[in-house]
Structure formats: C-alpha cells, structure tokens
C-alpha cells in the first residue's frame, strides 16, 4: 500500500513575524524547486504567524497547520482557538496531543480525542501524537503506552484521509537521542496493528505514521526508509530551510 510521505515542521513557540515569514518563503522556494516532490509538506507555525505564513507559502505545495485547538467551535474559552478559526485562517491540519501539551497542560487521551473529533468535524486533518517517556521505555512498556494512547486519543470514526499519527518518544524530542531503527520500526508496526483493530485494516494500511524526535538530515534516510515510517514530524530542524529540506531530500522526496 503506497503511502505518500509527509514531512511536517512543528515550529513550536518559535518565530516572530519577520523570521517566520522568511522561513516560510525559504521553504516555499525550495519546495517549488523540487518540481513534483514525492512527499507532502506541512508547516505548523505558532497561531500568531498562521495568516502571514499562509501568504508566504502561496503557490507552493506546502500545507499549513496549527499546533493545538479547542474542542468547541466558539464561546467563552479565554485564550483558546477553535478548529473553525484555524480553518478560517487557512489551516488544513492541526497537531494534537503533542507530549509538550500533555506535559505542560495536563492533556489526557480523552481530551485529545475530543479535540481530534472537533477538528475532523471542522474539516481539518489531525496529526495525533503519541510516545513513551524514557522511564516507560526502560521498563519495556513503550508499545503498551503507545497502544493505550492510540486507543484513547484517536476518535473511532477517524480515517486515513483525516488522521496522521506521529510516534514521538518523549526522550528523543529535542535531545539529539534517537531510538534504533529496529526500535522505531517495532513501535510503528505495533501502532499499525492497534490502528487496524480500532479503525479497520484498510484505514490502518493507508494511514500515515510519522516518526518524530531529533530527526535531522543525517538520520532521515535511515528512519524514513523503514517500512512503517511514513514521514517525519520535525521540531528543531524545521526552523532552518536547509535542514528541513535536507530531511526531505534525504528521504527521497
Ligand atoms: P525535535 O522535536 O525534532 O526538536 O526533536 C520534534 C517534535 O517535538 O515534534
């Protein structure tokens, strides 16, 4: 089953207007230069940059996404942003359940699932993040933890058309540490099995499962050539045009 790779940049809480627009313009220029890339591209800047980045990406095959949303469409939720607002700002994707949100904001699987269902209802695609801590990995619980997160965070009617999974071991995020290729493939294959149970074989076989955590141009080829790895969710290296595009090029995009 051919799954088109997705190279996604998670800018996190980085970028003021001028730098963010420059970065987006650089990515747009380089993606255009690829001609017909074999991958899809996605950038997820902070909320404040969404509309400007959208403009800067004009004409390039790069989708726009946000990094979180509320589960309600509107109302008295100070400081929150709704899926409809993201759609209105030009987003087609939203990242949900990133480990930094789970840790910093106490987001549970149940909350992530509610947000994902609302995002799907608003016509957004979701990148739902899962991943174990170092302690859980050392205890041999990585697959259990990821399976539980999939069962709890992914809405039951999700499809391969509206959902992407990102496996991001918490201990690999921003640390320069990366699991072995065999460990990555083991988790991805296990995740696909759980998805198959939850969403049916056809959805599971078509659904993209990204790897995230210290992806760089230098390790992209090995990680992204694994059979169940369908792209990357890139943090630090997505803030530099050369690194982000280097990851894509080294992954055969
Ligand atoms: P990193 O972050 O590439 O900086 O490790 C990945 C992520 O958190 O999505």
């Amino acid at each position: 089953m051919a799954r088109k790779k997705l190279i996604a940049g998670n800018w996190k809480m980085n970028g003021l207007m001028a730098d963010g627009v420059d970065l987006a313009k650089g990515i747009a220029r380089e993606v255009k230069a690829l001609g017909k890339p074999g991958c899809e591209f996605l950038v997820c800047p902070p909320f404040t940059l969404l509309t400007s980045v959208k403009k800067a990406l004009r004409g390039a095959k790069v989708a726009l996404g946000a990094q979180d949303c509320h589960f309600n469409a509107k109302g008295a939720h100070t400081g929150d942003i709704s899926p409809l607002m993201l759609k209105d700002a030009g987003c087609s994707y939203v990242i949900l359940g990133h480990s930094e949100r789970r840790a910093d904001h106490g987001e549970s699987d149940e909350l992530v699932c509610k947000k994902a269902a609302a995002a799907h209802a608003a016509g957004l695609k979701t990148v739902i993040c899962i991943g174990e801590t170092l302690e859980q990995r050392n205890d041999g619980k990585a697959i259990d933890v990821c399976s539980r997160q999939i069962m709890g965070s992914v809405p039951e009617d999700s499809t391969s058309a509206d959902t992407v999974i990102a496996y991001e071991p918490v201990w690999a995020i921003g640390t320069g540490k990366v699991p072995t290729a065999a460990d990555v493939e083991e988790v991805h294959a296990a995740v696909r099995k759980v998805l198959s149970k939850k969403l049916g074989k056809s959805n599971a076989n078509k659904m993209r499962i990204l790897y995230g955590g210290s992806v760089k141009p230098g390790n992209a080829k090995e990680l992204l050539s694994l059979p169940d790895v369908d792209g990357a969710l890139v943090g630090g290296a997505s803030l530099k045009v050369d690194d982000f595009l280097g990851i894509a090029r080294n992954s055969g995009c």
Side-chain angles (χ1 to χ4, degrees), residues 199-223:
L199 307 174
K201 204 170 174 189
S202 157
N203 272 319
N205 283 342
K206 284 187 271 179
M207 191 168 283
R208 288 178 292 190
I209 307 174
L210 313 184
Y211 169 77
S214 296
V215 178
K216 304 274 181 302
N219 58 22
K221 189 175 180 188
E222 184 183 24
L223 292 166

Side-chain angles (χ1 to χ4, degrees), residues 10 12 98 100 168 172-175 212-216 233-237:
N10 172 12
K12 309 193 179 185
H98 190 281
E100 286 152 14
E168 301 201 303
I173 294 176
T175 59
S214 296
V215 178
K216 304 274 181 302
L233 182 55
V234 185

Side-chain angles (χ1 to χ4, degrees), residues 23 26-28 40 55 77 112 118 121 127 135 152 155 157 170 216 232 250:
L23 175 56
I27 290 170
E40 288 174 23
K55 264 189 222 145
H77 303 285
V112 174
V127 178
E135 198 185 354
D157 56 356
V170 178
K216 304 274 181 302
N250 293 349

Side-chain angles (χ1 to χ4, degrees), residues 140-164:
K141 297 205 175 107
I143 288 177
D144 282 358
V145 168
C146 292
S147 302
R148 202 173 57 234
Q149 288 175 329
I150 291 285
M151 290 313 284
S153 307
V154 178
E156 264 168 25
D157 56 356
S158 301
T159 69
S160 55
D162 63 22
T163 305
V164 173

Side-chain angles (χ1 to χ4, degrees), residues 42-113:
L42 165 66
V43 293
C44 302
F47 292 133
T48 49
L49 299 184
L50 286 173
T51 50
S52 312
V53 166
K54 177 82 185 168
K55 264 189 222 145
L57 293 173
R58 194 174 290 155
K61 283 198 175 121
V62 182
L64 183 71
Q67 302 169 18
D68 180 43
C69 68
H70 197 273
F71 54 82
N72 275 314
K74 61 176 182 173
H77 303 285
T78 303
D80 278 312
I81 304 278
S82 83
L84 277 178
M85 291 168 172
L86 297 181
K87 190 96 177 122
D88 193 41
C91 290
S92 50
Y93 279 88
V94 60
I95 298 171
L96 292 171
H98 190 281
S99 64
E100 286 152 14
R101 293 213 57 88
R102 291 178 187 262
D104 295 353
H105 300 273
E107 293 197 6
S108 63
D109 289 336
E110 194 187 0
L111 179 62
V112 174
C113 190

Side-chain angles (χ1 to χ4, degrees), residues 192-252:
R192 201 174 298 287
K193 255 196 197 156
V194 178
L195 288 169
S196 181
K197 241 189 256 165
K198 186 171 172 112
L199 307 174
K201 204 170 174 189
S202 157
N203 272 319
N205 283 342
K206 284 187 271 179
M207 191 168 283
R208 288 178 292 190
I209 307 174
L210 313 184
Y211 169 77
S214 296
V215 178
K216 304 274 181 302
N219 58 22
K221 189 175 180 188
E222 184 183 24
L223 292 166
L224 276 77
S225 61
L226 296 167
D228 283 293
V229 176
D230 309 310
L233 182 55
V234 185
S238 73
L239 298 173
K240 288 196 180 131
V241 177
D242 288 351
D243 287 349
F244 190 56
L245 267 293
I247 288 167
R249 284 194 198 95
N250 293 349
S251 311

